[in-house]
Each structure stands twice: as C-alpha cells, then as structure tokens.
Amino acid sequence: IPPGELRAIVLATAKVMFGAPRRDLVSEVARRLGFDRIGNRIEKVLAGIVQDLLTEGRLVESFGMIRLAESFGMIRLAEQ
C-alpha cells in the first residue's frame, strides 16, 4: 500500500474515532486494512505514520488520546 494511502487511512480512522490511544488507533487502522493480527512490521509502519502525522500537526495528542487536528478536520481526506 502506498504511504500516501496509508496516511489517508490513518487520518480517516482518527477522524471517525474522535480520539483514541495510540495503540488503539494503530490496531483499528490495521483492522480496516484487513489484518486480523498486527505483527511487528505492520505495527512499526503504522506507528511511524501516526508519529509523522503528529509531528506534522495533522494529528494531535492530548492526555494520551490521538485525534485529528481541528485545522485539518475540514479538509477532504482524499486530498491528503
């Protein structure tokens, strides 16, 4: 799966979850991608994407909960 598509899926998942712990967000993204179990490689890739999006300010973390940054909530996720 191309990195841009993975990023869009992470953002879309964060949007519908309205905030989730990092591990839950990664697990939900993996489930949406069709994975029953999360191996180390899948977890590492998805966690890296989540961290990148946090660093870029597209996701925010507060009190252990990650959510879509409000400034990006109105942007069409297909354009991400």
Side-chain angles (χ1 to χ4, degrees), residues 10 13-14 17 19-30 38 43-55 59-67:
V10 170
T13 303
M17 290 185 81
R22 186 180 304 247
R23 185 162 182 81
D24 292 352
L25 177 59
V26 168
S27 294
E28 180 62 18
V29 170
I38 302 174
E43 183 174 10
K44 186 175 180 177
V45 168
L46 295 178
I49 290 171
V50 169
Q51 185 58 52
D52 289 347
L53 292 168
L54 284 165
T55 300
L59 294 176
V60 293
E61 186 170 14
S62 178
F63 299 103
M65 302 294 278
I66 296 175
R67 62 178 170 75

Side-chain angles (χ1 to χ4, degrees), residues 6-17 25 32 68 77:
L6 287 175
R7 291 167 58 90
I9 293 167
V10 170
L11 290 169
T13 303
K15 183 176 182 178
V16 298
M17 290 185 81
L25 177 59
R32 287 173 176 246
L68 191 66
L77 292 174

